[in-house]
Amino acid sequence: MKRLTTLALIAGLCTVVGLFLSSGLEDVAAAVVSAGWGALIVVAARAFAVAWAGLGWFVIFPKDTRPTLGSSVTLRFVREGINTLLPVAQVGGDFVAARLLTKRGVPGGIAGASMFVDLMTQAVTQFLFTVAGVALLIHLAGDGPIVRTVAGGLALAAPALGAFYLIQRRSGHKVIQALVGRFAGSREWQALGAIDVLYASLKRLYGNRARVAGGMGIHLVGWLIGTIEVYVALHFMGYPVSIVEAVVIESLAQAVRGAAFAVPGALGAQEGGLIALCAIFGIPAEAALALSLVKRLADLLVGVPGLFAWHALEGSPTADANGDEAGSRTETGLRRDVLVPVPAYGLANDFAPARATRADTDLGELKKCA
């Protein structure tokens, strides 16, 4: 897998270099400079969009296990930094953030399930955003090679989305249990317990349709917020587009990035996609490449703080559900070290509080006897 990622990275870099050389480095640089203050507006819009996505993640949690909004937003920046700046196929940050949630007192099963549900709501809303972009493109420019290519991608994405949802439901539970039962060996009971907890949490989250619908609505608005990046950057460069045209460019460019998930940072894919999409509206290649550079500047300036936050959170003390440190003292005066969550979404993490409560009760009874 690492070798494949390395090859994809090399291919992406070669594509980027070729596109920039063919478009003229001086022309691209001039277009970037012409963006001026617009680049800072793009960075601000990206930061707001990431924070907004954190709200979309926050609303799907049950109230009794919900982290603070600040934690959800901070960890959403962590996800963004890892997924955009590190070679992790654009999903590694989601698993890291779910694990970090357990350090904030969220039960492991809920943390893992929330990550899957949030990814599902993002994927569904991106699909709808892309469908809207294709419909608008047909309205503006009629049928063409780009429309047919994206439509073919949507035809492949629809069953993939359905499969991703089904594997999170009862049928997927049975399949994964069968696979783990075949390969888990002597630790089978632990793995099966972890899977049971995860799927029970998934059932609980999906069972509240209002929360899931709320998350989808927030993420759908978030995709529209991303349109500001295209609209502002091109206007400052001297290539004004309408909001509808900006929606077309942003929605289909995001679809290209999603299809190139195996390439770190979608290198080459984003640049080529923007060149093709901008050409539909008469925007030259150097301006399209400059738009890509401005977007990558936003990746960097928003993603790097997320990486620093990741480093800080990894070294921070673990907190319980009330925000207290895991090493705080119980009513018996003993340290609650047993509440430190393990970095997994499974049995030990979800049932540890029950063991701690039982231990405190036993000690209280012994105290009475004394």
Side-chain angles (χ1 to χ4, degrees):
M1 187 66 182
K2 289 182 178 180
R3 181 176 298 179
L4 180 61
T5 301
T6 302
L7 290 175
L9 178 60
I10 293 172
L13 286 172
C14 291
T15 302
V16 169
V17 171
L19 289 173
F20 275 88
L21 290 177
S22 63
S23 299
L25 294 178
E26 292 183 0
D27 292 336
V28 175
V32 171
V33 171
S34 67
W37 291 102
L40 295 181
I41 298 176
V42 169
V43 173
R46 175 70 61 82
F48 182 78
V50 173
W52 185 260
L55 174 63
W57 187 20
F58 171 79
V59 299
I60 66 175
F61 285 93
K63 290 184 178 180
D64 59 335
T65 58
R66 179 178 289 170
T68 64
L69 178 59
S71 294
S72 298
V73 171
T74 299
L75 291 178
R76 192 61 185 78
F77 276 92
V78 171
R79 290 167 63 178
E80 186 75 9
I82 295 173
N83 289 341
T84 57
L85 300 180
L86 299 182
V88 290
Q90 299 184 34
V91 292
D94 304 307
F95 290 93
V96 170
R99 178 175 58 78
L100 289 174
L101 270 180
T102 65
K103 293 173 68 67
R104 310 313 303 159
V106 178
I110 290 292
S114 74
M115 179 267 295
F116 282 111
V117 175
D118 190 52
L119 284 175
M120 187 72 211
T121 57
Q122 288 184 84
V124 170
T125 51
Q126 183 178 7
F127 182 86
L128 296 175
F129 188 44
T130 305
V131 170
V134 172
L136 291 174
L137 180 57
I138 293 173
H139 174 72
L140 293 174
D143 193 8
I146 293 179
V147 170
R148 289 191 289 270
T149 300
V150 176
L154 290 173
L156 295 175
L161 276 177
F164 183 50
Y165 173 75
L166 289 176
I167 204 170
Q168 298 176 58
R169 307 302 287 166
R170 184 175 300 178
S171 56
H173 188 180
K174 294 177 180 178
V175 171
I176 291 179
Q177 271 196 331
L179 291 174
V180 172
R182 184 180 181 88
F183 298 110
S186 61
R187 301 185 64 184
E188 177 181 354
W189 67 273
Q190 276 189 316
L192 290 179
I195 293 171
D196 287 338
V197 170
L198 175 62
Y199 273 88
S201 300
L202 283 168
K203 182 178 180 181
R204 182 183 181 189
L205 294 184
Y206 278 118
N208 193 313
R209 296 180 180 179
R211 285 199 298 262
V212 175
M216 290 181 64
I218 290 172
H219 281 306
L220 191 56
V221 173
W223 292 115
L224 293 173
I225 292 172
T227 302
I228 296 173
E229 298 181 17
V230 174
Y231 183 82
V232 170
L234 289 178
H235 265 265
F236 272 79
M237 282 187 240
Y239 299 97
V241 293
S242 67
I243 290 293
V244 173
E245 291 169 341
V247 169
V248 171
I249 294 172
E250 176 67 12
S251 63
L252 301 189
Q254 288 294 340
V256 170
R257 280 187 65 98
F261 68 92
V263 182
L267 280 172
Q270 173 174 291
E271 285 72 19
L274 285 174
I275 288 175
L277 292 168
C278 288
I280 298 174
F281 304 108
I283 300 170
E286 59 268 21
L289 290 174
L291 172 61
S292 179
L293 283 179
V294 171
K295 280 179 164 290
R296 294 204 180 278
L297 175 65
D299 289 342
L300 189 65
L301 295 183
V302 174
V304 169
L307 295 181
F308 279 110
W310 177 25
H311 176 74
L313 290 170
E314 289 287 3
S316 65
T318 301
D320 62 18
N322 296 318
D324 299 324
E325 293 185 9
S328 61
R329 296 185 179 274
T330 64
E331 293 179 357
T332 61
L334 296 178
R335 291 181 64 83
R336 198 179 295 169
D337 293 331
V338 290
L339 287 179
V340 178
V342 295
Y345 318 122
L347 199 62
N349 195 30
D350 284 351
F351 294 149
R355 291 198 302 271
T357 302
R358 185 167 58 251
D360 287 350
T361 301
D362 293 340
L363 287 170
E365 291 176 354
L366 289 174
K367 186 177 180 180
K368 291 179 182 178
C369 291

